[in-house]
Amino acid sequence: MAKRRRRSRALLAALLVAAVGSACGVESGGPATSSPSKGAAGHQSPSAVEGRPGQQAAGKHPPGSAGARAEYAENVRRIQAARAVAAKKWGLAATPLPAPPPPAVKPRITTRQGFEVEGGDELPPIFTTVPVKDKVVFLTMDDGAEKDPELLRMMSELKIPYSAFLSDYVTKDNYGYFKQMQDRGVSLHNHTINHRYMPGLSYEEQKREICEQQDNIEQRFGKRPPLFRPPYGNYNVDTLRAAKECGVKAAPLWASEAFPDHMEWREWDEDLHPGDIVLTHFRGPGDWNGTMPDMIRQVMKTITGRGYAVAKLEDYV
């Protein structure tokens, strides 16, 4: 246990040094930057303790100045102190690790090898991992069936960023829940209207499933989603053609999936990798062996225990 604590402190110290050394100051309301010329992909900057996950703190000093670097390091320390308290409250095995600022330039996303469709070069890319070098992963939640208020409180207090991919047939009974989620800094994306098996539909039927949900999210929540995840991870060229026609820019899948009592892996080594997208679902005891907070405890035990931080997907894609 003592060895683990020393390792965690050493990692936090290294992150602070990296932050200071990469001129991580922030402008008022603006993003911090890291140098792309050094090959560092960068991460989400911790916000002020009172801020939302993924939200930048307002800086008091000129970018790149010693004052800005010191302010950034102090913000990290304050965030981690608050997270440590929240981690004990919510029963996490360890305090979530901090992530440095997002990249000044988002990485170029391409379709994963073996996931291509014929003639898909100009279509939204399908990918399971964002090309970064730092030890960050991205947490995503699908569907929207379970609307657990404890999840909202837990994620806000722990300041863990995540992205929601919503299907209207299970969210329409309580849009207000997802508005609360959006107000806490969560981005809401497209998972179709009815969660149907897309390759079994005609092009027009697929377009209706995707475009109607694009319109619905825009009307309900004020922003048209740039990201789309096909139900079950199944798609064909018509799926991606329709998605592009509806304004989708990219179609993230996942590298691993989280449950309250275990993880499932796409890769042979059953491990996390820099930039991996982690999938889970809005589910409860009626569907799996635990609650949404139980699932968060399980997935964060894996993520933190393997030395990774959770970053905000929209800062990279």
Side-chain angles (χ1 to χ4, degrees):
M1 181 66 70
K3 183 176 180 182
R4 186 180 301 166
R5 285 196 297 267
R6 288 196 298 271
R7 196 161 53 236
S8 298
R9 287 195 295 267
L11 179 57
L12 175 57
L15 286 166
L16 290 171
V17 170
V20 171
S22 61
C24 295
V26 293
E27 300 179 77
S28 178
T33 61
S34 59
S35 171
S37 63
K38 295 182 180 179
H43 306 268
Q44 168 196 343
S45 172
S47 63
V49 171
E50 298 77 16
R52 299 180 299 183
Q55 186 180 47
Q56 298 289 342
K60 299 178 182 178
H61 303 280
S65 68
R69 294 192 292 270
E71 181 183 15
Y72 176 80
E74 177 59 25
N75 282 339
V76 172
R77 282 190 287 269
R78 290 197 298 142
I79 283 287
Q80 289 307 106
R83 273 179 151 184
V85 173
K88 289 182 179 179
K89 171 184 174 179
W90 290 101
L92 268 65
T95 303
L97 295 173
V105 177
K106 293 181 180 181
R108 180 173 176 266
I109 306 296
T110 58
T111 292
R112 175 173 171 163
Q113 185 175 3
F115 287 58
E116 304 92 341
V117 296
E118 186 175 356
D121 291 347
E122 302 301 320
L123 299 178
I126 292 277
F127 58 102
T128 62
T129 300
V130 177
V132 301
K133 295 182 179 179
D134 295 301
K135 294 186 73 172
V136 293
V137 295
F138 307 99
L139 183 60
T140 64
M141 300 184 192
D142 277 10
D143 301 345
E146 183 74 11
K147 302 164 185 70
D148 188 344
E150 289 290 283
L151 175 71
L152 298 182
R153 288 190 284 271
M154 183 183 197
M155 300 302 272
S156 293
E157 291 178 17
L158 289 168
K159 301 197 180 298
I160 299 173
Y162 60 106
S163 305
F165 289 78
L166 305 181
S167 292
D168 190 60
Y169 83 107
V170 287
T171 61
K172 62 185 178 182
D173 63 334
N174 190 354
Y175 290 125
Y177 178 82
F178 300 98
K179 183 63 172 67
Q180 291 181 61
M181 189 174 290
Q182 183 187 46
D183 290 344
R184 286 165 164 81
V186 178
S187 295
L188 308 180
H189 297 292
N190 191 331
H191 199 43
T192 74
I193 289 287
N194 295 301
H195 202 275
R196 300 179 66 186
Y197 175 71
M198 300 301 276
L201 304 179
S202 68
Y203 171 77
E204 289 301 327
E205 289 171 325
Q206 294 196 55
K207 185 177 177 181
R208 189 177 309 116
E209 282 286 324
I210 300 170
C211 285
E212 285 188 10
Q213 183 66 337
Q214 289 286 90
D215 294 341
N216 180 57
I217 291 176
E218 183 176 27
Q219 291 165 9
R220 298 282 179 181
F221 304 105
K223 184 176 180 181
R224 197 166 185 82
L227 305 181
F228 159 72
R229 175 174 284 158
Y232 314 107
N234 295 125
Y235 59 94
N236 58 19
V237 66
D238 283 344
T239 313
L240 300 182
R241 285 177 53 225
K244 182 178 181 179
E245 185 69 20
C246 299
V248 168
K249 304 302 181 186
L253 297 184
W254 60 91
S256 60
E257 184 171 358
F259 296 86
D261 54 358
H262 71 285
M263 295 286 294
E264 293 185 359
W265 308 92
R266 186 184 296 272
E267 309 301 339
W268 66 271
D269 59 356
E270 298 189 348
D271 202 359
L272 295 173
H273 311 89
D276 274 357
I277 298 170
V278 180
L279 165 69
T280 190
H281 290 81
F282 291 94
R283 295 287 187 271
D287 298 293
W288 59 17
N289 187 29
T291 64
M292 294 294 289
D294 290 334
M295 178 276 299
I296 294 298
R297 283 186 277 271
Q298 168 67 29
V299 72
M300 291 309 300
K301 181 179 180 180
T302 300
I303 291 171
T304 306
R306 300 189 186 192
Y308 283 80
V310 179
K312 188 176 178 66
L313 180 63
E314 293 77 15
D315 285 341
Y316 292 75
V317 179

